[in-house]
Amino acid sequence: MKSPNSSPGVPTVANSAHDAPQSSTPASCYNQAEIYAKSKVTKAPIQSFGLAIFAGAFIALAFVFYLTVTTGSGDAPWGLVRLVGGIAFSLGLILVVVCGGELFTSSVLSTVAWAQKQVTGTELLKCWCRVYAGNFIGAMLMVGLITAAGMYELDGGNWGLNALKVAQHKLHHSWIQAFSLGILCNMLVCFGVWMTFASRDMLAKSLLLILPVAMFVSSGFEHSIANMFMVPMGMMIQAIASPEFFASLGVTQEQFADLTVANFVFNNLIPVTLGNIVGGGVVVGLGYWWIEQCKTTLAEPHKAHNDKVSASYTQDETPQHSTERKLTKHS
């Protein structure tokens, strides 16, 4: 539909980035990333915080799905079990993208807006802290609900045992290992989000997210917000489950005594969070920003050459006019 002020035969111009047609070229994806990055930081704080709570809950629900489909796998091939669990976990990022949510690990892409000087460093850090806190609250709410629902008793307690083992495994990484796994994880998360900039269709976006998420989950990479649910869930089961629960599974409560807040924060949450920032904010966000600047810098000499050629003619004289003038003079 044309605007009232449009003239016949003159095409109307889209008035916002959301009205502009999208293509799958790297340039158009970067342009969408700029809009995405700025919107993360400039969104109303209360709206951002509320959406962050939802995102934390979405990721927690995805981990519940992961635990359910990987419990009782028995002698099934290890890799296939992990793949199925990874595909199940992709539900979390799909919910964030389709239903709307502010997830810390994708919000670190706002480094693009900071590098473009569209937002300040202070605004960037405030956004990250607000979203991180909201994600934590959402994850804790789900820990409470899942515990109250008694889901750890599913499959004769094997669901709870699976959760305990997954949570404990996350605390046994070295600091540098947890940091590196955090980098790898958020590279894939942000590559997945970056691919969604190539489409407006929500089904296409959802499909694009599945394999990057499935890879990072099945490979054991570390996601700080997912861990906010998983490790506290393990700590909760270890604290409230009855002795009979552990005895029926052939394990003891003391085997999981290292599931403590201190171990979680210092051995997992801090290095993984820092790794997520580097993987998403630096490698992906600033990496693509740097490539875009290189493209701009390369184009400048060509622009300077064209300007020099244009300046060699008078203001109202084009190369064609100059040639015609010379031919007239000789004739």
Side-chain angles (χ1 to χ4, degrees):
M1 181 178 179
K2 293 183 179 180
S3 64
N5 298 326
S6 62
S7 302
V10 179
T12 57
V13 179
N15 58 12
S16 74
H18 295 289
D19 296 328
Q22 289 179 308
S23 68
S24 58
T25 63
S28 65
C29 285
Y30 179 80
N31 293 337
Q32 291 298 316
E34 282 187 342
I35 298 168
Y36 175 88
K38 186 177 180 181
S39 71
K40 293 291 178 185
V41 181
T42 57
K43 192 169 290 180
I46 189 64
Q47 181 188 19
S48 177
F49 184 69
L51 289 171
I53 294 174
F54 270 106
F58 292 156
I59 297 301
L61 286 171
F63 225 139
V64 172
F65 197 7
Y66 170 90
L67 291 170
T68 301
V69 301
T70 58
T71 295
S73 53
D75 296 328
W78 180 84
L80 289 179
V81 173
R82 308 273 292 193
L83 173 61
V84 171
I87 293 172
F89 189 84
S90 66
L91 170 68
L93 198 55
I94 291 172
L95 285 171
V96 169
V97 170
V98 177
C99 296
E102 292 292 326
L103 184 63
F104 173 76
T105 46
S106 56
S107 292
V108 297
L109 278 175
S110 52
T111 52
V112 173
W114 171 78
Q116 292 281 55
K117 295 182 169 50
Q118 295 175 339
V119 299
T120 66
T122 301
E123 290 173 328
L124 185 73
L125 291 176
K126 284 182 178 179
C127 170
W128 288 0
C129 291
R130 179 170 63 244
V131 172
Y132 197 78
N135 289 168
F136 177 76
I137 291 173
M140 289 302 100
L141 287 172
M142 293 311 301
V143 168
L145 285 173
I146 298 302
T147 302
M151 288 195 67
Y152 64 92
E153 296 177 344
L154 290 176
D155 191 25
N158 282 299
W159 194 99
L161 182 61
N162 189 14
L164 285 165
K165 288 181 176 179
V166 171
Q168 188 177 55
H169 173 73
K170 291 180 175 296
L171 304 185
H172 290 176
H173 299 310
S174 67
W175 205 94
I176 189 64
Q177 186 181 18
F179 177 71
S180 301
L181 290 170
I183 293 174
L184 291 166
C185 168
N186 216 30
M187 285 174 60
L188 284 164
V189 170
C190 290
F191 282 142
V193 171
W194 198 279
M195 286 195 296
T196 66
F197 299 149
S199 175
R200 284 186 176 182
D201 183 74
M202 285 302 175
L203 178 59
K205 289 177 183 283
S206 300
L207 293 173
L208 287 168
L209 291 169
I210 292 173
L211 286 182
V213 174
M215 182 187 171
F216 96 69
V217 174
S218 61
S219 300
F221 300 160
E222 293 287 336
H223 189 278
S224 57
I225 308 307
N227 292 352
M228 284 180 181
F229 167 78
M230 192 63 256
V231 181
M233 187 75 240
M235 289 191 286
M236 185 67 78
I237 295 170
Q238 195 270 344
I240 69 168
S242 65
E244 292 75 22
F245 169 84
F246 291 98
S248 66
L249 296 168
V251 296
T252 64
Q253 194 171 16
E254 289 70 29
Q255 286 179 238
F256 303 98
D258 55 348
L259 285 170
T260 65
V261 173
N263 278 343
F264 172 45
V265 172
F266 294 107
N267 297 333
N268 182 275
L269 192 59
I270 291 175
V272 170
T273 299
L274 293 175
N276 289 166
I277 292 171
V278 172
V282 178
V283 176
V284 180
L286 295 184
Y288 274 112
W289 170 80
W290 175 75
I291 291 169
E292 191 70 13
Q293 302 315 300
C294 290
K295 185 179 72 174
T296 305
T297 303
L298 184 63
E300 285 177 354
H302 297 287
K303 182 178 182 299
H305 173 72
N306 292 336
D307 291 345
K308 185 176 180 180
V309 171
S310 299
S312 65
Y313 301 104
T314 58
Q315 185 175 2
D316 59 348
E317 184 177 44
T318 66
Q320 182 182 358
H321 292 156
S322 177
T323 303
E324 290 173 352
R325 184 174 294 180
K326 289 179 181 178
L327 290 172
T328 304
K329 186 182 293 185
H330 285 295
S331 63

